[in-house]
Coordinates of all heavy atoms in Angstrom, one line a residue:
A21 N -2.8 10.9 -13.2 CA -3.6 11.8 -12.5 C -2.9 12.9 -11.8 O -3.4 14.0 -11.6 CB -4.3 10.9 -11.4
D22 N -1.6 12.8 -11.4 CA -0.8 13.8 -10.7 C 0.3 14.4 -11.4 O 1.0 15.2 -10.9 CB -0.4 13.1 -9.4 CG -1.5 12.6 -8.6 OD1 -2.2 13.4 -7.9 OD2 -1.8 11.3 -8.6
G23 N 0.5 14.0 -12.7 CA 1.6 14.5 -13.3 C 3.1 13.9 -13.2 O 3.1 13.0 -12.2
P24 N 4.1 14.1 -13.9 CA 5.3 13.6 -13.8 C 5.9 13.9 -12.4 O 5.9 14.9 -12.0 CB 6.1 14.2 -15.0 CG 5.1 14.6 -15.9 CD 4.0 15.1 -15.1
P25 N 6.5 12.8 -11.8 CA 7.2 13.0 -10.5 C 8.7 13.2 -10.6 O 9.3 13.1 -11.8 CB 6.8 11.6 -9.9 CG 7.0 10.7 -10.9 CD 6.4 11.4 -12.1
E26 N 9.2 13.3 -9.4 CA 10.7 13.5 -9.5 C 11.4 12.1 -9.9 O 12.4 12.1 -10.6 CB 11.3 13.8 -8.1 CG 12.8 13.8 -8.0 CD 13.1 13.9 -6.4 OE1 12.3 14.4 -5.7 OE2 14.3 13.6 -6.2
I27 N 10.6 11.0 -9.5 CA 11.2 9.7 -9.7 C 10.0 8.7 -10.1 O 9.0 8.8 -9.3 CB 12.2 9.1 -8.7 CG1 12.7 7.7 -9.1 CG2 11.4 8.9 -7.4 CD1 13.8 7.3 -8.3
L28 N 10.1 8.0 -11.0 CA 8.9 7.1 -11.4 C 9.3 5.7 -10.8 O 10.3 5.2 -11.0 CB 8.8 6.9 -12.9 CG 7.8 5.9 -13.4 CD1 6.4 6.3 -13.2 CD2 8.0 5.4 -14.9
Y29 N 8.4 5.1 -10.0 CA 8.6 3.7 -9.6 C 7.9 2.8 -10.6 O 6.7 2.7 -10.9 CB 7.8 3.5 -8.3 CG 7.7 2.2 -7.7 CD1 8.8 1.3 -8.2 CD2 6.7 1.8 -6.9 CE1 8.7 0.0 -7.5 CE2 6.7 0.5 -6.3 CZ 7.6 -0.5 -6.8 OH 7.7 -1.7 -6.3
W30 N 8.9 2.1 -11.3 CA 8.4 1.0 -12.2 C 8.2 -0.1 -11.4 O 9.1 -0.9 -11.0 CB 9.5 0.9 -13.3 CG 9.1 -0.1 -14.4 CD1 9.1 -1.4 -14.3 CD2 8.6 0.3 -15.6 NE1 8.6 -1.9 -15.5 CE2 8.3 -0.9 -16.4 CE3 8.3 1.5 -16.2 CZ2 7.8 -0.8 -17.7 CZ3 7.9 1.6 -17.5 CH2 7.5 0.3 -18.2
V31 N 6.9 -0.4 -11.3 CA 6.5 -1.6 -10.4 C 6.9 -2.9 -10.9 O 7.5 -3.9 -10.1 CB 5.1 -1.6 -10.0 CG1 4.7 -2.7 -9.1 CG2 4.7 -0.3 -9.6
G32 N 6.8 -3.1 -12.1 CA 7.1 -4.4 -12.8 C 5.9 -5.3 -12.7 O 5.0 -5.3 -11.8
C33 N 5.9 -6.5 -13.5 CA 4.7 -7.4 -13.6 C 4.6 -8.3 -12.3 O 3.6 -8.5 -11.7 CB 5.0 -8.2 -14.9 SG 4.9 -7.4 -16.4
T34 N 5.8 -8.7 -11.8 CA 5.8 -9.7 -10.7 C 5.3 -8.9 -9.4 O 4.5 -9.5 -8.7 CB 7.2 -10.2 -10.6 OG1 7.8 -10.6 -11.7 CG2 7.1 -11.5 -9.6
A35 N 5.8 -7.7 -9.3 CA 5.3 -7.1 -8.0 C 3.9 -6.7 -8.1 O 3.1 -6.6 -7.1 CB 6.2 -5.8 -7.7
A36 N 3.4 -6.5 -9.4 CA 2.0 -6.1 -9.6 C 1.0 -7.3 -9.5 O -0.1 -7.1 -8.8 CB 1.8 -5.3 -10.9
F37 N 1.4 -8.4 -10.0 CA 0.5 -9.5 -10.1 C 0.8 -10.7 -9.1 O -0.2 -11.5 -9.0 CB 0.4 -10.1 -11.6 CG 0.0 -9.0 -12.5 CD1 0.8 -8.2 -13.3 CD2 -1.4 -8.7 -12.5 CE1 0.3 -7.3 -14.1 CE2 -1.8 -7.7 -13.5 CZ -1.0 -7.0 -14.3
D38 N 2.1 -10.8 -8.6 CA 2.2 -12.0 -7.7 C 1.8 -11.5 -6.3 O 2.5 -10.6 -5.8 CB 3.6 -12.4 -7.8 CG 4.0 -13.4 -6.8 OD1 3.5 -14.5 -6.9 OD2 4.8 -13.1 -5.9
E39 N 1.1 -12.2 -5.7 CA 0.6 -11.8 -4.3 C 1.7 -11.8 -3.4 O 1.7 -10.7 -2.5 CB -0.5 -12.9 -3.7 CG -1.1 -12.5 -2.5 CD -2.1 -13.6 -2.0 OE1 -2.4 -14.5 -2.7 OE2 -2.4 -13.5 -0.8
R40 N 2.7 -12.5 -3.4 CA 3.8 -12.5 -2.5 C 4.7 -11.2 -2.7 O 5.0 -10.5 -1.8 CB 4.8 -13.8 -2.6 CG 6.0 -13.6 -1.7 CD 5.7 -13.5 -0.3 NE 7.0 -13.4 0.6 CZ 7.4 -12.2 0.7 NH1 6.8 -11.0 0.3 NH2 8.6 -12.0 1.6
N41 N 4.9 -10.9 -4.0 CA 5.7 -9.8 -4.2 C 5.0 -8.4 -4.2 O 5.5 -7.3 -4.2 CB 6.3 -9.9 -5.7 CG 7.6 -10.7 -5.6 OD1 8.6 -10.2 -5.2 ND2 7.5 -12.0 -6.0
Q42 N 3.6 -8.4 -4.1 CA 2.8 -7.2 -3.8 C 3.1 -6.6 -2.5 O 3.2 -5.3 -2.3 CB 1.3 -7.6 -4.0 CG 0.8 -7.7 -5.3 CD -0.7 -8.3 -5.3 OE1 -1.2 -8.5 -4.2 NE2 -1.3 -8.2 -6.5
R43 N 3.5 -7.5 -1.6 CA 3.8 -7.0 -0.2 C 5.2 -6.3 -0.4 O 5.5 -5.3 0.5 CB 4.0 -8.2 0.8 CG 2.6 -8.9 0.9 CD 2.7 -9.6 2.3 NE 3.6 -10.7 2.5 CZ 3.4 -11.9 2.1 NH1 2.3 -12.4 1.5 NH2 4.5 -12.8 2.4
V44 N 6.1 -6.6 -1.2 CA 7.4 -6.0 -1.4 C 7.1 -4.6 -2.0 O 7.7 -3.5 -1.6 CB 8.3 -6.7 -2.3 CG1 9.6 -6.0 -2.7 CG2 8.6 -8.0 -1.8
A45 N 6.3 -4.4 -3.1 CA 5.9 -3.2 -3.5 C 5.3 -2.3 -2.6 O 5.7 -1.1 -2.5 CB 4.9 -3.5 -4.8
A46 N 4.4 -2.7 -1.8 CA 3.9 -1.8 -0.7 C 4.8 -1.5 0.3 O 4.9 -0.3 0.7 CB 2.8 -2.8 0.0

């Protein structure tokens, strides 16, 4: 939506789908 950034945050599967690690990503 916004184009390439200076740095891409690769969230990873665990941070995206595990409820506990979603708080780390946030």
Side-chain angles (χ1 to χ4, degrees):
D22 299 282
E26 176 188 343
I27 184 165
L28 174 76
Y29 173 25
W30 187 277
V31 181
C33 300
T34 312
F37 296 103
D38 175 66
E39 184 178 352
R40 173 63 187 86
N41 277 284
Q42 287 176 345
R43 301 204 297 269
V44 177

